[in-house]
Amino acid sequence: MKKFIFLASLFWGMAFANSPQLTTLYRSLDPQSISQLFAFYHLYPQSEEGEQALADAWALMHKHRIEKRLLEGNLVLPAMEIDAVIGLVNKEPLESDILLDEEQLEMIEQVSDHLAHRKLKGHQVWKKKALFKLPSKEIDLARALFLYQFEEDPLTVRQYEASLDLIALQILARLPVGASDEEKIRAISHFIFHEKRFRFPPHSLYAKDIDTYTFLASVLDSRLGVCLGVSTLYLAIAQRLDLPLEIITPPGHIYIRHSSELNIETTARGIHLPDRAYLGINTRKLQERNMKEVVGLAFINQASVSWQKGDHQTAVKLYEEALPFLPNDPLLKMLLGYNYLFVGKVRQGKKLLREIKNLTFDHAVSKETGPEDFLQRRATIEGLKTLFAHVDETRTSILNKQKQLLKVLKKSPKFRDGIFQLAVTYLQLGRGHEALETLLRYHDLDPTNPTVEYYLAIVLMNRFHYKEAWHHLALAEKLTQERGHAPHCLKGLRHALRTLHADPADIFKQHNTSNLQKHGP
């Protein structure tokens, strides 16, 4: 709507060229909008106001350059180059591609050659293999991702880099020279989430085409992106603005953090959420990633899409592409190991799973049990496949997975992940009695999973078995404390349970204290 009003006002002003109304129209422009100033000049190139708008836009594009490039005489930029600037910055979601020729690309690259990412060694790389040798701090994230997505096609890579460069120039135009990191964060967030309205895609689109909303180029085209897609956009802009940011990956998620402990949640318009919002029973700490690892995460995300579609050959290929960027990542080894099994490469799969079978991931409280159960023949390949069967939260989908799990557990009754997921399906269906029996079955096999103990405490509390609930809550607290973790949800459950029944441990302490007072030590 704003764009329509602005264009309408420009065309209205055409009727009043060289009149006081044109001066009024010029003064109504956003003085910090490069595209508006260029558009005004494009319509009124022969007017004094048009020439001033061109000078204003040129000054904004060079605002943060140490050596200023001044306009000399009556500079008139080629019309198509101005169209390119206006089009790329104001491009509407899903609008047809704006293809720039060599002259236009060179013009944009020239006016943006002072951006900070140009100093990175990764910006000189045009071959994917050359990325592996670079230290993480030298990776140009956008260049690395575009090289893979567009198969090292330099023209297409430069097209999308030009879009990012113009976005960075527009953000810098609104910043003072010598802006602080906090000012840069506010400016990037305002541009992405409020001015251009990048958003998390609706579930109907996200569930169908998650890979589309992961790719940086697709996010730029559609202004829709999942956490990884929008986070890579934010990071690519930050690299251009010399803004150092930390990359944080809770299980299944990614967000960005500044060293000032300001978190940037890219799926919620860049708001700050406290760290504890990302922690859970089995997540005791948050993993920090580097730029090279983010490239690998993009492959992992793509592989998960192929896995969901049952295309395990493609998933294997993508996980293998991720390995050079995440050579020691235990989660990647587990996922690739599983998919090796699914495509018949059992020897390779077992080799990877042996490397991690007794390993507790650094961010976790309890270890993954799937690798050990498979290697100890407590789980089959088909059983592992069932764990990842798609569930869309509908009753029919949940019942289908439950049926598959019951079939698997008949053959593999000690398969812990299978038992846990069966319990979850009962909880989703509101069948508390079956959920309790299944969780107790897991507990009898392995009492070291704090999530199982937490669920047991909740189910038992809801079924008025308060003493037993306290027992399993105490186990969950003990297991998490052993890993230096104190989950907020356990504190909440303790408070809720205490309002219903006294903690048996407190009663025991009070009883002993009373006896000591009466009879002495």
Side-chain angles (χ1 to χ4, degrees):
M1 186 64 181
K2 289 181 180 179
K3 182 180 178 182
F4 172 78
I5 294 172
F6 169 66
L7 292 174
S9 66
L10 285 181
F11 285 114
W12 170 81
M14 291 178 70
F16 300 97
N18 301 316
S19 70
Q21 286 89 342
L22 188 59
T23 301
T24 300
L25 182 59
Y26 164 72
R27 289 174 179 172
S28 71
L29 300 175
D30 180 349
Q32 294 181 324
S33 173
I34 294 171
S35 59
Q36 282 192 25
L37 291 165
F38 270 140
F40 186 91
Y41 166 74
H42 189 38
L43 290 172
Y44 311 111
Q46 304 303 321
S47 68
E48 290 183 10
E49 291 84 357
E51 291 180 357
Q52 185 59 51
L54 173 60
D56 294 343
W58 190 260
L60 286 175
M61 295 180 81
H62 294 77
K63 181 178 178 179
H64 293 262
R65 184 185 292 276
I66 296 175
E67 295 182 2
K68 309 293 183 183
R69 293 176 181 171
L70 302 177
L71 288 171
E72 297 180 2
N74 295 321
L75 176 64
V76 179
L77 296 178
M80 279 304 296
E81 292 186 357
I82 292 179
D83 284 344
V85 173
I86 298 169
L88 283 177
V89 176
N90 281 340
K91 185 174 180 290
E92 291 296 309
L94 303 178
E95 189 177 323
S96 58
D97 291 341
I98 299 169
L99 298 179
L100 308 178
D101 61 30
E102 183 65 29
E103 183 181 358
Q104 293 162 356
L105 284 170
E106 287 181 359
M107 184 273 290
I108 294 173
E109 290 166 354
Q110 182 180 11
V111 297
S112 60
D113 63 6
H114 61 295
L115 296 177
H117 72 296
R118 297 295 182 91
K119 300 175 184 177
L120 299 172
K121 292 179 181 178
H123 190 71
Q124 312 307 319
V125 167
W126 288 100
K127 295 295 181 181
K128 294 180 286 187
K129 289 184 179 180
L131 294 169
F132 306 152
K133 300 177 182 178
L134 291 175
S136 177
K137 64 181 181 180
E138 293 293 341
I139 291 286
D140 179 341
L141 181 60
R143 172 67 58 83
L145 293 172
F146 289 150
L147 283 177
Y148 274 97
Q149 184 172 352
F150 300 119
E151 295 297 327
E152 301 177 346
D153 175 17
L155 184 60
T156 308
V157 170
R158 291 170 67 200
Q159 296 275 346
Y160 279 98
E161 287 186 337
S163 292
L164 288 169
D165 290 347
L166 289 173
I167 287 172
L169 288 175
Q170 177 57 79
I171 293 171
L172 283 171
R174 299 187 185 280
L175 284 168
V177 176
S180 66
D181 287 355
E182 290 74 14
E183 288 174 315
K184 292 177 184 178
I185 290 169
R186 285 195 295 270
I188 296 174
S189 293
H190 179 80
F191 183 89
I192 291 177
F193 302 115
H194 299 285
E195 191 169 338
K196 295 305 176 185
R197 300 178 65 81
F198 283 80
R199 294 288 184 268
F200 194 87
H203 184 267
S204 58
L205 297 176
Y206 159 71
K208 183 180 179 181
D209 296 307
I210 182 175
D211 50 340
T212 299
Y213 304 108
T214 296
F215 298 134
L216 178 56
S218 300
V219 173
L220 282 167
D221 288 338
S222 67
R223 295 193 196 164
L224 295 172
V226 295
C227 57
L228 181 59
V230 181
S231 293
T232 53
L233 170 63
Y234 206 109
L235 290 165
I237 296 171
Q239 282 193 312
R240 284 160 166 74
L241 271 57
D242 196 22
L243 172 64
L245 293 174
E246 299 166 352
I247 305 140
I248 312 299
T249 56
H253 187 51
I254 183 172
Y255 69 95
I256 304 164
R257 183 171 67 195
H258 185 251
S259 57
S260 63
E261 298 187 358
L262 173 69
N263 293 331
I264 303 165
E265 178 47 68
T266 56
T267 64
R269 306 184 190 182
I271 65 171
H272 168 81
L273 293 176
D275 285 352
R276 77 178 189 190
Y278 300 98
L279 300 175
I281 296 290
N282 197 39
T283 306
R284 71 184 188 97
K285 62 185 291 188
L286 298 170
Q287 288 180 284
E288 183 176 344
R289 304 286 192 170
N290 59 45
M291 284 295 182
K292 188 174 280 190
E293 289 174 322
V294 172
V295 180
L297 292 176
F299 288 114
I300 291 176
N301 208 71
Q302 291 175 252
S304 69
V305 177
S306 298
W307 186 342
Q308 197 65 62
K309 294 177 180 177
D311 184 0
H312 298 292
Q313 293 285 358
T314 300
V316 164
K317 179 178 179 295
L318 289 166
Y319 284 132
E320 288 176 339
E321 293 265 36
L323 270 176
F325 298 100
L326 295 152
N328 301 311
D329 190 88
L331 177 62
L332 174 56
K333 289 182 178 182
M334 184 177 76
L335 298 176
L336 178 56
Y338 284 164
N339 277 269
Y340 275 147
L341 298 178
F342 301 157
V343 299
K345 295 183 177 181
V346 178
R347 182 175 59 82
Q348 294 96 316
K350 284 183 175 181
K351 180 179 181 297
L352 284 178
L353 296 181
R354 285 193 192 100
E355 292 179 20
I356 61 169
K357 74 170 185 176
N358 292 315
L359 177 68
T360 301
F361 296 175
D362 186 50
H363 68 275
V365 173
S366 57
K367 66 181 179 181
E368 294 287 338
T369 60
E372 182 183 5
D373 281 354
F374 174 74
L375 293 170
Q376 297 296 326
R377 299 186 178 182
R378 292 192 290 262
T380 63
I381 293 176
E382 285 305 312
L384 292 173
K385 269 190 181 181
T386 303
L387 294 179
F388 302 95
H390 179 63
V391 176
D392 58 13
E393 305 306 322
T394 63
R395 183 177 178 83
T396 300
S397 175
I398 295 169
L399 286 170
N400 285 339
K401 181 159 186 177
Q402 188 179 89
K403 184 178 179 180
Q404 294 177 56
L405 288 167
L406 287 168
K407 183 178 179 181
V408 164
L409 290 171
K410 281 186 179 179
K411 295 182 178 179
S412 307
K414 295 183 179 181
F415 180 25
R416 286 169 289 180
D417 280 345
I419 296 170
F420 177 73
Q421 287 205 11
L422 179 62
V424 170
T425 65
Y426 285 129
L427 290 171
Q428 289 173 315
L429 296 170
R431 294 165 61 177
H433 178 69
E434 290 94 334
L436 177 59
E437 288 184 335
T438 309
L439 289 167
L440 287 171
R441 176 180 171 184
Y442 189 112
H443 169 81
D444 290 341
L445 280 172
D446 180 4
T448 66
N449 187 319
T451 306
V452 170
E453 304 306 321
Y454 172 66
Y455 284 174
L456 273 169
I458 292 176
V459 173
L460 287 163
M461 179 181 72
N462 291 338
R463 297 178 71 81
F464 312 114
H465 300 298
Y466 300 127
K467 289 184 179 180
E468 292 90 340
W470 275 114
H471 171 68
H472 290 284
L473 173 58
L475 276 175
E477 291 174 330
K478 179 176 180 293
L479 291 167
T480 54
Q481 287 168 6
E482 288 174 351
R483 290 282 287 168
H485 186 33
H488 187 72
C489 55
L490 290 185
K491 296 176 183 177
L493 179 56
R494 171 170 281 276
H495 177 75
L497 193 52
R498 184 177 283 137
T499 62
L500 299 170
H501 189 280
D503 183 351
D506 291 340
I507 296 173
F508 180 76
K509 289 178 184 177
Q510 291 172 4
H511 178 72
N512 283 347
T513 301
S514 177
N515 283 339
L516 284 172
Q517 291 173 345
K518 287 182 179 179
H519 307 292

